[in-house]
Amino acid sequence: MADISFVRTEMLPEKTPPATSVGLIGWMRENLFSGWFNSILTVVSLGFIYYVLAGVLPWMFQSSWTANSLSQCREAISAAHGEGASGACWAVVRERYLQLIYGFYPDHLYWRPNIAFLLTLAALAPILFSALPRKMLWLAVVAPFAVPWLLWGGSAWLPLSAALGFVLGYGAFRGVSQLNGSLAAIIAGVAAPVLWWMLLAGPFAALVQSILPVGIEPVESRAFGGFMLSITIGVVAIVCSLPIGIVLALGRQSNLLIVRTLCIGFIEFVRGVPLITLLFVASTLLNIFMPPGTNFDIILRVMIMVTLFASAYMAEVIRGGLAALPKGQYEAADSLGLDYWKAQRLIIMPQALKISIPGIVSTFIGVFKDTTLVSIIGLLDPLGLSNAIRADANWNGIVWELYGFIALMFFIFCFSMSRYSMFLERKLQTGHR
């Protein structure tokens, strides 16, 4: 008797999916040819990509690496690929890549910026990747003092004197906190190192140097240039702007009128002024307000201005993360009996920073790219050096090769920061989409 039930009583055998729905064909059908409009866009895009690559790839590979001038490049390319052939003259990169990286830094001292760069990476690694041993964090304490000493050289007692300022600040904070409230302790902890650095650090280092001379060959700031200069300014601005931005964001939400007004005024003023204006202030006008005979290093001035500029934008990014938190998180901190700083450190700020990761990294990338603006005030960053190289009679007229190399280097750094941002977002992801 035939089974005429509406519910199947036996399992059907498994079948392989259609070939058009899996693998490369399935991916193309789903993403590139899912409809008539998507198919047209795919064909047009492929045609545009082919048109660009058909012009760029021959130019890139019909190139010369061994010439000593632009005219020799063109002669070598014509001899190899026929009269009238055009190609890239990568010989300029081969000849000037050290200058594009180190600027006019003495070539026998290249080991110092190399070690400084590796030390910076080693100091940032345990902060960026929690899987690394926590013992490596001591490098993050040493690097801020060792790296400038390696780059600029001079007396070894000057960075030690600068480090002593933090020790004095911590001692003042601890001592005042036992006598008065936390506000007085914070003021003492800030005032003590600032006064030390402004008045006593230099004479103390000079005195100890006269008794026990220890140091390395000094290098003037005018010798700095290329990617070494951009990385130095960018790293300092990136590392310092985040904590300053956090303080400004918290100050903007403070209940203290003076603190809130100062933070709002600083943020709105800096965000309303172009960075190039601040750089001109750092390079020209700032010396007018300094005491006569004061030698305020130009690179240090630029670092301060770029850091303050980045801090104002960072403060708004952090404030956006704070505003995104529900009110219940603040109430939860209050219900646990936590004071303001513990609540911020343990509950509020970790969540706000997690929310703000894309904006924070975007600000970092923008700051690093903005370091090219220092060429306008006379500092020879990679773009400034490219102009100097093209002023040479041998390379006069060469453009795309230099800009292509500089763009590639900036892309590597910026793309690495972007990938780390995505890694951090995946690592801290707690919800499900």
Side-chain angles (χ1 to χ4, degrees):
M1 184 174 178
D3 186 3
I4 58 174
S5 60
F6 290 98
V7 180
R8 187 180 298 278
T9 58
E10 67 277 356
M11 295 294 294
L12 292 177
E14 293 184 358
K15 295 182 179 180
T16 57
T20 57
S21 63
V22 294
L24 179 60
I25 297 177
W27 180 86
M28 293 176 61
R29 184 177 181 181
E30 179 180 355
N31 295 279
L32 301 180
F33 302 98
S34 58
W36 67 269
F37 184 70
N38 198 12
S39 300
I40 293 176
L41 289 179
T42 299
V43 173
V44 172
S45 299
L46 291 175
F48 177 75
I49 293 173
Y50 174 79
Y51 173 77
V52 172
L53 294 181
V56 172
L57 292 180
W59 177 82
M60 291 180 60
F61 292 103
Q62 292 179 4
S63 57
S64 174
W65 287 87
T66 58
N68 295 319
S69 65
L70 181 58
S71 59
Q72 291 184 13
C73 270
R74 291 171 176 170
E75 293 174 0
I77 293 171
S78 298
H81 302 284
E83 191 67 27
S86 62
C89 185
W90 299 119
V92 64
V93 177
R94 179 190 60 82
E95 181 179 303
R96 299 296 186 97
Y97 76 97
L98 288 176
Q99 188 178 15
L100 288 171
I101 294 175
Y102 298 102
F104 297 100
Y105 207 85
D107 54 1
H108 67 283
L109 298 178
Y110 282 167
W111 61 272
R112 280 165 45 179
N114 292 339
I115 293 178
F117 180 72
L118 294 176
L119 180 59
T120 302
L121 292 180
L124 293 175
I127 300 174
L128 300 177
F129 302 99
S130 58
L132 294 176
R134 297 293 90 188
K135 294 181 180 179
M136 293 181 62
L137 285 173
W138 67 270
L139 291 173
V141 179
V142 175
F145 307 101
V147 169
W149 179 63
L150 286 171
L151 293 178
W152 277 274
S155 171
W157 299 109
L158 188 59
L160 293 177
S161 178
L164 184 59
F166 288 97
V167 177
L168 294 175
Y170 178 76
F173 174 80
R174 295 285 300 202
V176 176
S177 63
Q178 296 177 359
L179 302 176
N180 293 297
S182 58
L183 181 60
I186 293 174
I187 295 175
V190 173
V194 170
L195 292 175
W196 168 261
W197 292 328
M198 293 180 62
L199 302 176
L200 300 175
F204 174 78
L207 176 62
V208 179
Q209 179 69 12
S210 63
I211 299 173
L212 184 61
V214 178
I216 55 179
E217 180 181 345
V219 178
E220 296 184 358
S221 294
R222 64 183 181 183
F224 283 53
F227 285 100
M228 185 185 72
L229 177 63
S230 295
I231 293 173
T232 302
I233 298 174
V235 169
V236 171
I238 287 172
V239 172
C240 296
S241 64
L242 181 58
I244 297 176
I246 292 175
V247 173
L248 289 173
L250 295 177
R252 183 160 189 165
Q253 295 184 337
S254 174
N255 294 326
L256 300 175
L257 178 61
I258 297 178
V259 174
R260 184 172 67 251
T261 303
L262 290 176
C263 291
I264 293 175
F266 173 82
I267 293 171
E268 297 302 330
F269 172 77
V270 173
R271 291 175 70 234
V273 176
L275 176 58
I276 188 61
T277 303
L278 299 178
L279 294 178
F280 274 120
V281 170
S283 63
T284 57
L285 297 180
L286 197 59
N287 277 338
I288 299 176
F289 301 99
M290 301 299 295
T294 301
N295 183 18
F296 198 177
D297 189 83
I298 179 62
I299 295 181
L300 180 58
R301 284 180 271 164
V302 170
M303 287 179 182
I304 293 173
M305 287 301 181
V306 175
T307 299
L308 295 178
F309 181 82
S311 299
Y313 283 87
M314 189 63 63
E316 291 300 282
V317 172
I318 302 299
R319 188 170 70 92
L322 293 172
L325 288 182
K327 187 178 180 181
Q329 296 298 315
Y330 296 89
E331 295 174 346
D334 293 337
S335 66
L336 293 174
L338 300 177
D339 60 20
Y340 177 80
W341 295 110
K342 286 185 177 180
Q344 292 292 337
R345 181 170 61 89
L346 299 175
I347 296 179
I348 306 301
M349 196 53 64
Q351 299 182 73
L353 292 177
K354 173 188 168 184
I355 295 172
S356 306
I357 286 175
I360 291 174
V361 176
S362 296
T363 304
F364 287 166
I365 293 175
V367 169
F368 183 67
K369 291 189 295 185
D370 284 344
T371 57
T372 56
L373 293 175
V374 301
S375 62
I376 300 176
I377 60 173
L379 295 180
L380 294 178
D381 75 312
L383 288 182
L385 281 174
S386 70
N387 295 330
I389 292 172
R390 288 188 293 112
D392 187 345
N394 291 327
W395 303 111
N396 189 8
I398 197 164
V399 177
W400 294 109
E401 293 84 347
L402 290 171
Y403 287 158
F405 176 74
I406 294 171
L408 176 63
M409 296 297 292
F410 271 100
F411 174 79
I412 291 173
F413 283 101
C414 296
F415 185 75
S416 300
M417 286 189 279
S418 174
R419 294 302 96 182
Y420 175 76
S421 171
M422 298 182 66
F423 159 78
L424 199 60
E425 289 182 59
R426 290 192 300 268
K427 179 182 178 181
L428 300 178
Q429 182 65 39
T430 55
H432 298 279
R433 295 182 180 179

